[in-house]
């Protein structure tokens, strides 16, 4: 199944957002319905919130309305938490001031307070201040109406309400921290993926473009000096360009992350960068005029994709540097296949003192730096630098059994 086109994502997000909103409203509606039904269960009346202890009045139509005002607003407790708290708290205040019989429905005040602490986004401090001031007004009103409660009683009930708000705030804070952690992890993964793509593009484009430039220059020279050999040079340019396109298509197929490209085109998968294709790198370098000696020691065994690609890129980058900084100098490529690791050595001869402007430093250029990261992620090592007798050498050791989770 292919991924949706980028332009279709907003069209998909809109129905998904509406579906989630309906799901939240449905769940909160169930909570409101359960509290409403529980309000009429006599055995649960003692579990409700009660403050004031005024003389009880008989139930009336107004009391039924107040009961519904405690519960129905909970349907939107996560969508509009401030409005929900205002209605429920107002109903609770009127219910207590009228001295109506306590019911379980007053628990809706706790639910509304928790929801405001957990889901209110803006004006949180103002909402908390308004709620506290409202409670102070209720306490004064109950006292004027003859409530036997004292200041410590009102303060204790206020602390209970404050604890419920703080519980919701703690849940919100933990949820915010978790969302921030996920965002940072996603950003780190995105940055790592961008770096990986940059390394891949550098390895593919730099090597092949360098080879094509050198081959084109050689073909231009042959057109004037040895015309009959110019065709071979132009063919080399064409072949190198085709190989570059093949590797770019392979990279794009990986970025699609669908697996369909490789499955649909086995021939393309066979041409993907692996240890078995190192010989093609050597051959293209030779056709570009670089004398390259290629040898292998030990028995080559199938490796993981990451190991094969890293080894291929090491040889590719080393040959690219040889073409750029030591064109025409003898170059030797040696692959050692051991039981636990693969050793790679690429040495290029040259003058004892290579001009600093053209010689890769100990830290290497962008390509060598990227290779170090790639090899290090596989628990390997890479060294690159000038040789005492002149020229430049790249050495790498890559463990055969690399971490399966690594993605260089």
């Amino acid at each position: 199944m292919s991924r949706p086109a980028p332009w279709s994502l907003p069209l998909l997000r809109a129905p998904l957002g509406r579906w989630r909103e309906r799901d939240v409203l449905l769940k909160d509606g169930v909570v409101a319905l359960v509290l409403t039904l529980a309000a009429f269960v006599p055995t649960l009346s003692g579990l409700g919130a009660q403050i004031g202890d005024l003389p009880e009045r008989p139930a009336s139509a107004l009391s039924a309305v107040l009961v519904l005002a405690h519960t129905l607003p909970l349907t939107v407790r996560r969508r509009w938490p401030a409005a929900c708290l205002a209605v429920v708290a107002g109903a609770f205040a009127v219910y207590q001031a009228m001295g109506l019989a306590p019911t379980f429905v007053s628990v809706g005040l706790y639910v509304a307070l928790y929801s405001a602490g957990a889901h209110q986004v803006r004006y949180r401090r103002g909402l908390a201040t308004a709620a506290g001031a409202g409670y102070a007004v209720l306490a004064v009103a109950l006292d004027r109406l003859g409530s036997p409660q004292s200041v410590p009683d009102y303060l204790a009930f206020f602390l209970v309400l404050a604890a419920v708000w703080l519980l919701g705030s703690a849940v919100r804070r933990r949820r915010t921290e978790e969302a921030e952690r996920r965002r940072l992890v996603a950003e780190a993964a995105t940055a790592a993926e961008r770096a990986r793509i940059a390394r891949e593009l550098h390895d593919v484009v730099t090597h092949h473009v360098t080879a094509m430039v050198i081959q084109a220059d050689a073909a231009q020279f042959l057109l004037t000096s040895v015309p009959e050999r110019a065709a071979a040079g132009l063919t080399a340019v064409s072949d190198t360009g085709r190989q570059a396109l093949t590797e770019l298509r392979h990279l794009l197929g990986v970025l699609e992350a669908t697996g369909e490209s490789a499955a649909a085109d086995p021939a393309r998968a066979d041409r993907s960068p692996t240890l078995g294709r190192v010989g093609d790198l050597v051959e293209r370098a030779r056709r570009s005029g670089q004398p390259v000696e290629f040898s292998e020691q030990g028995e080559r065994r199938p490796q993981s994709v990451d190991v094969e690609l890293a080894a291929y890129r090491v040889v590719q980058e080393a040959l690219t540097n040889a073409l750029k900084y030591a064109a025409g100098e003898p170059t030797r490529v040696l692959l050692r296949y051991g039981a636990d690791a693969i050793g790679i050595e690429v040495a290029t001869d040259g003058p004892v003192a290579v001009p600093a402007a053209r010689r890769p430093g100990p830290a290497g250029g962008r390509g060598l730096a990227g290779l170090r990261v790639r090899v290090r992620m596989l628990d390997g090592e890479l060294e690159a630098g000038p040789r005492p007798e002149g020229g430049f050498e790249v050495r790498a050791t890559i463990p055969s059994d690399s971490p399966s989770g690594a993605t260089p």
Side-chain angles (χ1 to χ4, degrees):
M1 181 178 179
S2 60
R3 294 184 301 173
W7 54 264
S8 67
L9 292 179
L11 300 179
L12 293 176
R13 290 193 187 103
L16 182 60
R18 289 194 295 268
W19 180 86
R20 288 177 177 173
E21 183 177 323
R22 287 195 297 267
D23 183 61
V24 168
L25 290 175
L26 178 61
K27 291 179 179 178
D28 291 343
V30 171
V31 172
L33 178 61
V34 170
L35 283 179
T36 302
L37 297 177
F40 301 99
V41 178
T43 56
L44 296 178
S45 61
L47 301 178
Q50 175 72 17
I51 186 69
D53 290 338
L54 294 176
E56 289 189 11
R57 295 183 182 181
S60 62
L62 179 59
S63 63
V65 172
L66 291 175
V67 166
L68 295 178
H70 277 80
T71 59
L72 294 183
L74 297 179
T75 305
V76 294
R77 67 183 186 90
R78 281 187 279 184
R79 187 175 184 183
W80 296 311
C84 172
L85 176 60
V87 175
V88 173
F92 176 81
V94 174
Y95 198 93
Q96 299 301 315
M98 291 181 61
L100 296 173
T103 63
F104 185 75
V105 76
S106 56
V107 174
L109 177 64
Y110 298 141
V111 178
L113 269 173
Y114 169 84
S115 302
H119 302 290
Q120 180 66 23
V121 178
R122 302 169 60 187
Y123 310 116
R124 292 177 57 83
R125 184 172 300 177
L127 179 61
T129 302
Y135 179 78
V137 172
L138 173 62
V140 172
L142 291 176
D143 184 70
R144 294 292 179 88
L145 291 173
S147 172
Q149 301 290 341
S150 61
V151 172
D153 296 324
Y154 290 117
L155 181 59
F157 191 74
F158 176 79
L159 292 178
V160 171
L161 298 179
V164 174
W165 169 281
L166 292 176
L167 176 61
S169 298
V171 171
R172 173 181 175 78
R173 183 166 53 254
R174 186 179 64 180
R175 187 188 305 121
T176 302
E177 291 173 353
E178 178 63 20
E180 179 66 12
R181 186 192 66 81
R182 288 196 298 266
R183 184 186 67 82
L184 293 176
V185 169
E187 287 183 356
T190 300
E193 185 65 11
R194 287 177 177 172
R196 186 185 72 83
I197 294 171
R199 289 195 299 268
E200 288 292 330
L201 288 175
H202 173 274
D203 293 340
V204 173
V205 175
T206 301
H207 172 78
H208 291 296
V209 171
T210 299
M212 291 173 68
V213 169
I214 294 175
Q215 291 165 351
D217 290 343
Q220 185 177 9
F221 172 77
L222 292 174
L223 281 174
T224 57
S225 58
V226 190
E228 59 275 10
R229 295 182 55 190
L234 294 175
T235 301
V237 174
S238 177
D239 291 344
T240 303
R242 289 191 181 94
Q243 181 62 25
L245 290 175
T246 297
E247 293 194 21
L248 286 174
R249 291 192 188 101
H250 174 77
L251 175 59
L252 292 175
V254 172
L255 295 179
E256 286 176 358
T258 60
E260 295 178 355
S261 299
D265 190 356
R268 183 185 300 176
D270 292 340
R271 295 191 297 269
S272 61
T274 61
L275 282 171
R277 310 295 298 180
V278 170
D280 296 339
L281 287 175
V282 173
E283 184 60 30
R284 284 196 297 273
R286 289 170 178 168
R287 294 170 65 178
S288 299
Q290 190 77 4
V292 181
E293 178 184 337
F294 177 46
S295 59
E296 297 177 280
Q297 295 180 1
E299 180 182 357
R300 177 162 56 89
R301 298 187 301 272
Q303 304 289 338
S304 67
V305 175
D306 292 341
V307 171
E308 296 247 351
L309 182 58
Y312 180 93
R313 295 304 187 200
V314 169
V315 177
Q316 185 182 57
E317 179 66 20
L319 290 178
T320 300
N321 287 336
L323 287 169
K324 291 170 64 177
Y325 304 120
E329 298 291 345
T331 302
R332 291 171 297 282
V333 177
L334 172 61
L335 299 181
R336 290 193 178 95
Y337 304 107
D340 300 324
I342 300 174
I344 304 167
E345 297 179 14
V346 182
T348 303
D349 295 339
V352 175
V354 181
R358 301 182 59 195
R359 183 182 68 236
R366 179 184 180 91
L368 289 176
L371 282 178
R372 279 192 177 86
V373 174
R374 185 194 295 272
V375 172
R376 194 174 297 122
M377 291 178 68
L378 296 170
D379 289 343
E381 296 180 357
L382 184 141
E383 299 178 357
R387 304 165 63 209
E389 62 273 22
F392 198 79
E393 184 175 36
V394 176
R395 291 174 175 266
T397 302
I398 305 175
S400 297
D401 296 329
S402 62
S404 59
T407 306

